Amino acid sequence: QVQLVESGGGLVQPGGSLGLSCAASGFTFRDYAMAWYRQAPGRERELVAAISALDINRKYDDDVKGRFTISRDNAKNTVYLQMSSLKPEDTAVYYCNALTSWIPIRAMNYWGRGTLVTVSA
């Protein structure tokens, strides 16, 4: 039973920082690339960042590159997203997921509840 539990969201002021965590279970975590997605109200879900199984490769959306950092701890079955210099347009529900393909990026057909990040003054 695949479980993806995101945490760490909250309210933060523009320019602030926030760290998200995703605890995964129900599959062999270390064998899968992982990714963070986000979905803002009225918008489609979009890829934010991805990290390969052994952290050989990382990928970022252009809008977050240089501000967000994805990382993982395979011993803890956890993937992280450290966000800095946050902007109001970063406001969204953030989801993690395992990837079934890197080229092209393709996520599992299971989504957790996500964690809400609100960037507002």
Side-chain angles (χ1 to χ4, degrees), residues 32-35 49-53 55 57-58 70-72 79 102:
Y32 285 83
M34 297 291 295
I51 184 168
S52 62
D55 194 13
N57 295 297
R58 297 183 183 186
I70 189 170
S71 62
R72 66 189 296 160
V79 61
W102 187 263

Side-chain angles (χ1 to χ4, degrees), residues 53-101:
L54 299 178
D55 194 13
I56 296 172
N57 295 297
R58 297 183 183 186
K59 181 182 186 299
Y60 296 94
D61 181 82
D62 288 342
D63 293 336
V64 308
K65 190 173 180 64
R67 300 188 298 118
F68 291 11
T69 300
I70 189 170
S71 62
R72 66 189 296 160
D73 186 339
N74 285 350
K76 297 181 178 179
N77 283 15
T78 302
V79 61
Y80 307 93
L81 185 69
Q82 183 62 46
M83 306 180 292
S84 62
S85 301
L86 284 162
K87 306 173 181 179
E89 50 262 46
D90 294 319
T91 296
V93 177
Y94 284 71
Y95 302 88
C96 66
N97 212 337
L99 298 180
T100 58
S101 174

Side-chain angles (χ1 to χ4, degrees), residues 32-49:
Y32 285 83
M34 297 291 295
W36 285 95
Y37 292 79
R38 67 185 180 187
Q39 186 169 27
R43 297 193 177 189
E44 294 184 343
R45 184 185 296 116
E46 65 176 358
L47 179 70
V48 176

